[in-house]
Structures are given as C-alpha cells and as structure tokens.
Amino acid sequence: MASMNLREQALRLMRLVATASCRCPAHSQNFSPVPRLSSAAKDHVEPECAFEVANSSIRYGEGVTREVGMDFENRRLEKVCVITDQKLVTLPPVKEAIESLETNKIKYELFDKVRIEPTDSSFKAAIDFAKQGNFDSFLAIGGGSVIDTAKAANLYLCHPENDFLDFVNAPVGKGMPIDKPLKPLIAIPTTAGTGSETTGVAIFDYEPMNAKTGIANRAIRPTLGIVDPLHTLHMSERLTANSGYDVLCHAIESYTAIPYQKRGPRPLNPNMRPAYQGSNPVSDVWSKHALGIVAKYLKRSIKDASDLEARSNMHLASVYAGVGFGNAGVHLCHGMSYPISGLVKSYKAKDYGVDHPLVPHGLSVIMTSPAVFRFTAPSCPERHLEAAQILGADISNAKLADAGLLLSDTLRDFMYSTGVDNGLAALGYNSEDIPALVKGTLPQHRVTKLAPAGAPGEEDLARLFEDSMTLY
C-alpha cells in the first residue's frame, strides 16, 4: 500500500511538472490526426526518451529538373499549380521545368508573384490563386520564399474553411493541428541555403507585428525535393553568400540545440511529438557534415559563379543541414533574425533586384551569430569547440571556458572574409531599436526555447542585440 501511495505521488508530481514546463509552441505542437487518449494514457507522463526523423524524399543530380513532368505523370496528377517568382520565371530552371510538364502533357497554371521574404499578404495572394484553380498538385521552383509560399498555398487549399492564423505558430496564431492530407508538392530549390525542400516549415513576415513567424508541421513538407546543382550557377554573389550563411547557422544551431531528452516531457501520443525536437544523434551527423562542407566550399562558391564543384557541394550542404535542423530545430540566431528582417527600414540587399527594403534571411541570421554562440557556449562547450574546429580554428590548446570566444572570433573572421556588413548598424539599426527587436523575438518560443540554456530573458536579448550592432 505504501509503495502504491508513493507511485501515485510520483505520477502526480510528474504531471504537475509537465503541465508547468511544456506550454510553449516548440514543445506542445500537435500533429494530425488529433489522438484520442485513454484514461490510462493520460496518467502515463514520462520524461522524453525518443526522437523521430522525418524529411522529404530527395533526388539529386545535374539535369534532373527535366524529369519532373514524369513525376507528375507517374502519380497520375493532371493539373499542377506552378509557383515561382518574377525573376526566376525568365531563367532556365523554370523554363526547363515547364518544358518537362508540357512534354509529358501535364496541365498547369503559373503563379509568379512570390515575394522575396514573403509576407502574410503575399502568402494570401498565392492561396487565393490556388483556391481558384482546382489543382491536384503543386510545383515550387525557387528559393525558400517560393517553396514556403507553395507550402502555404497547398495547406489552405486543402483547408478552405480555416482562417489564416489557425495554423500559424502560437502565440501569434493558434497553432492548430493539420487534420487533412495535403496535395503532392514537388520542390525544385534554386538556392543553396534554406533547405526548405526537406522541411515542414513555412516562414513569413507577419505585417501587423513587423516580425517573422511561420507555420511548422510535418504535414506541409514537400513530397519530393529535386535538387539540380546546375541551378546554383544562376545565383548572384550576395545571394550565394547569404544562402550559405543560412546553411552555416542551420548546422551550428541544430548541433548546439537542447538535447532531445531534455525537451520533454514525452508526449501522450507519438503524433504529438514536434518537428523541432532538439539535438539528436541522427541530426548531429547531418549538421556536422553540412558545416564541414560550408567550411570547405562556401568561400569558393561566392568567389566564382562558375565553380560547379563548390556550388554543387553547397547545394548538398543545404539539404544535409535541412535534414539536421528540420528534425532538431534552430534556436537564437533564427529567433532573433525574424525582427531584424521584419523591422527593416531602408536597407536594400545587393544583387536581389527588389524595389522594397530587404534584409535577406541568411544575412539576418548570421548577424547575431558571434554574440549568440558566445552566450550559449557555457551550456555545451564541447560542441561549440567542435564547431569552431570544423570552421578552421586551432583548438589544440583551448579550454572549455574558451569555447564561446573561440567560436565567436572564428565566425567573425569568416564573416569578414566573405563580405558581411558590419553589424546591425550597417543594416540601419541603432540602440534605440533594441526594445522593438527584443519585442519581436520574445514570441518566437518555437525556436528560442531550443537554445541549450533555454530561452533568454529580455535583458539577455537586449545585450545580444547590442553586442551585434558592430562586428569588426
């Protein structure tokens, strides 16, 4: 009897801990279908002990774009919504994909109004187009902005009764589960950065808040990613650089994220386990390998647009890092990047050909990385030292206490040598903007709580932004 009372007390305590510690979107996101739980299951509260790896099928090879029409024919699909942007629509990647559809007699309609760094308004424009077309499938040809827009169009085409914010991450939206199957989506990435062809995440600027948020659910990830390295030869210098910085941060953030066992508690049903689960042995392999490729090939890929070896390897690194962070998650560099992009004043990125202020995603992410990893290093110094070593630092005489400063300095040198602007001040920000930047970061629980020491408070965030105003 005494042992039974102790067991009941332990279960009650675990339930209380679970209730108190697991209300953030990163840890409580539901996935379809919504499970029905028995009373016994409700009492089964345990620490997290598992992780799940899920990603899109990937086909890689020079010239594989010409196969995409056959992919739709093989699936007996008849009408494709092709999504791209107004610059890419004139370039070979889109032309080759359209030719393949026409050769295989696949009907299609083209939406080319994707906004680089999409907003809720640009997402809604694509959603409206999709709802009018009676499509049975989607083809996205472009970078992360295009692929994420296609994910949103597919989602809301299949859920016409839902409001836009229903599936947007809490606390901005409701973070509702996705309980209907979506249409097949094939993604052809033309940049080497976001890894969006592998993930169930769609990011956008939410205009009412002037900050980025997104939709995160395995259900929206592409059915197939067709990775054709020839497309990277059309990337401009700064697009190549900024895309590569995104790969770099995906790799380090996912490798240094909170371990999956500490994310907990264990969900009541495996369908409730989030996509971003914390670092784990499988994601670690992909993330470290991606980082090694970045160290070897990113500078070459920026310097020489015709260097197919370098650009092909960066395209693969984007996929590798996508598998890594798509299952482990990212943390502070990404969480802090969303208001950096969303609150942009007048900065216009070079080589992007846009007529509106724009801080590209990869640039907004890398800006805070020296400060962020100096801050997070004490929580897992071994991993920070290893990241510094992969990027070329000599750690032979380094102590664990040196990890943060060593990785920070290594990143700063890497950024300087590849032409990164000199901090947030160069993007038009100053100390007076810090409260707004902090305010825009605080709702990003889905990623910030994956930091190895947990989500930082307002004072810590303010200090990180202040430390990122100038870099060199």
Side-chain angles (χ1 to χ4, degrees):
M1 182 67 68
S3 61
M4 181 61 70
N5 289 337
L6 287 173
R7 179 178 179 276
E8 290 176 354
Q9 290 175 17
L11 286 172
R12 188 178 302 114
L13 178 60
M14 293 178 74
R15 283 194 291 271
L16 287 171
V17 171
T19 302
S21 64
C22 192
R23 293 184 178 179
C24 74
H27 298 174
S28 61
Q29 179 182 354
N30 292 327
F31 296 91
S32 60
V34 178
R36 295 186 176 184
L37 303 170
S38 67
S39 58
K42 291 177 182 177
D43 289 337
H44 191 67
V45 180
E46 300 177 358
E48 181 60 279
C49 65
F51 64 92
E52 181 174 340
V53 177
N55 57 276
S56 307
S57 295
I58 296 295
R59 180 185 304 146
Y60 173 88
E62 295 179 20
V64 290
T65 299
R66 61 177 175 263
E67 297 178 356
V68 70
M70 289 181 278
D71 289 308
F72 286 102
E73 183 181 30
N74 292 341
R75 290 169 169 81
R76 303 186 185 280
L77 299 167
E78 298 179 349
K79 190 176 182 184
V80 183
C81 180
V82 179
I83 294 183
T84 189
D85 64 51
Q86 290 188 311
K87 184 176 182 179
L88 274 167
V89 76
T90 65
L91 295 177
V94 173
K95 293 181 178 180
E96 291 171 14
I98 294 297
E99 181 180 347
S100 182
L101 294 177
E102 292 175 345
T103 298
N104 290 277
K105 299 179 172 56
I106 302 296
K107 296 179 181 179
Y108 67 91
E109 291 184 24
L110 180 68
F111 179 84
D112 63 358
K113 303 295 192 296
V114 169
R115 188 181 192 274
I116 304 304
E117 302 299 332
T119 64
D120 51 313
S121 297
S122 70
F123 266 16
K124 289 173 183 175
I127 292 165
D128 290 342
F129 181 87
K131 287 181 176 178
Q132 296 168 13
N134 194 30
F135 299 108
D136 62 8
S137 52
F138 288 81
L139 173 60
I141 312 163
S145 297
V146 169
I147 298 172
D148 286 3
T149 299
K151 292 173 183 176
N154 191 7
L155 172 62
Y156 290 97
L157 171 64
C158 298
H159 292 78
E161 70 285 357
N162 285 93
D163 292 330
F164 180 74
L165 289 178
D166 283 352
F167 300 115
V168 173
N169 300 326
V172 176
K174 296 180 181 178
M176 289 173 55
I178 296 173
D179 56 9
K180 294 180 183 178
L182 305 191
K183 309 292 186 184
L185 164 60
I186 296 178
I188 302 178
T190 59
T191 63
T194 68
S196 187
E197 68 276 5
T198 72
T199 71
V201 179
I203 302 298
F204 64 94
D205 283 313
Y206 186 52
E207 294 165 297
M209 291 180 55
N210 290 318
K212 284 185 182 287
T213 183
I215 302 164
N217 194 301
R218 292 189 184 96
I220 68 172
R221 72 179 185 271
T223 310
L224 171 66
I226 295 180
V227 182
D228 187 337
L230 295 178
H231 297 334
T232 63
L233 300 178
H234 304 287
M235 296 169 63
S236 66
E237 177 187 315
R238 295 327 299 169
L239 176 58
T240 301
N242 293 331
S243 299
Y245 303 144
D246 200 18
V247 179
L248 188 156
C249 287
H250 284 158
I252 303 180
E253 286 177 75
S254 56
Y255 189 57
T256 59
I258 186 172
Y260 74 93
Q261 307 98 318
K262 294 185 179 180
R263 177 189 53 79
R266 184 179 181 180
L268 297 173
N269 187 293
N271 278 338
M272 298 173 67
R273 186 166 279 120
Y276 284 5
Q277 302 160 90
S279 60
N280 60 76
V282 174
S283 287
D284 288 350
V285 172
W286 293 94
S287 298
K288 287 172 58 179
H289 190 54
L291 187 59
I293 296 175
V294 170
K296 184 176 181 179
Y297 289 108
L298 178 55
K299 292 180 182 179
R300 279 177 51 182
S301 73
I302 296 170
K303 183 178 180 180
D304 183 359
S306 65
D307 189 338
L308 182 59
E309 179 187 7
R311 293 205 165 189
S312 296
N313 275 280
M314 284 303 301
H315 218 184
L316 276 175
S318 178
V319 174
Y320 297 157
V323 176
F325 90 86
N327 292 285
V330 288
H331 53 82
L332 296 185
C333 293
H334 273 74
M336 295 172 66
S337 78
Y338 297 148
I340 294 172
S341 292
L343 294 171
V344 59
K345 301 173 185 178
S346 59
Y347 181 89
K348 292 183 180 180
K350 301 173 185 177
D351 293 345
Y352 279 71
V354 296
D355 58 3
H356 56 83
L358 172 69
V359 177
H361 174 64
L363 180 60
S364 69
V365 168
I366 196 70
M367 274 291 170
T368 61
S369 63
V372 162
F373 293 116
R374 189 166 61 246
F375 173 76
T376 58
S379 297
C380 51
E382 297 90 349
R383 291 189 172 224
H384 287 69
L385 278 178
E386 191 171 5
Q389 182 181 37
I390 293 172
L391 288 173
D394 180 4
I395 68 168
S396 57
N397 296 315
K399 300 176 183 179
L400 292 181
D402 302 327
L405 184 60
L406 184 58
L407 179 54
S408 177
D409 287 346
T410 302
L411 283 167
R412 191 179 290 105
D413 290 345
F414 194 94
M415 294 162 68
Y416 182 80
S417 68
T418 54
V420 175
D421 300 78
N422 188 16
L424 296 178
L427 306 185
Y429 291 104
N430 57 50
S431 295
E432 294 179 359
D433 298 310
I434 289 177
L437 292 167
V438 171
K439 182 179 178 181
T441 304
L442 290 173
Q444 311 299 335
H445 299 163
R446 181 181 62 89
V447 292
T448 58
K449 288 197 174 182
L450 291 172
E458 293 184 31
E459 292 184 4
D460 286 329
L461 287 172
R463 186 164 56 253
L464 291 172
F465 280 119
E466 184 66 55
D467 289 346
S468 301
M469 283 294 164
T470 56
L471 298 173
Y472 316 121

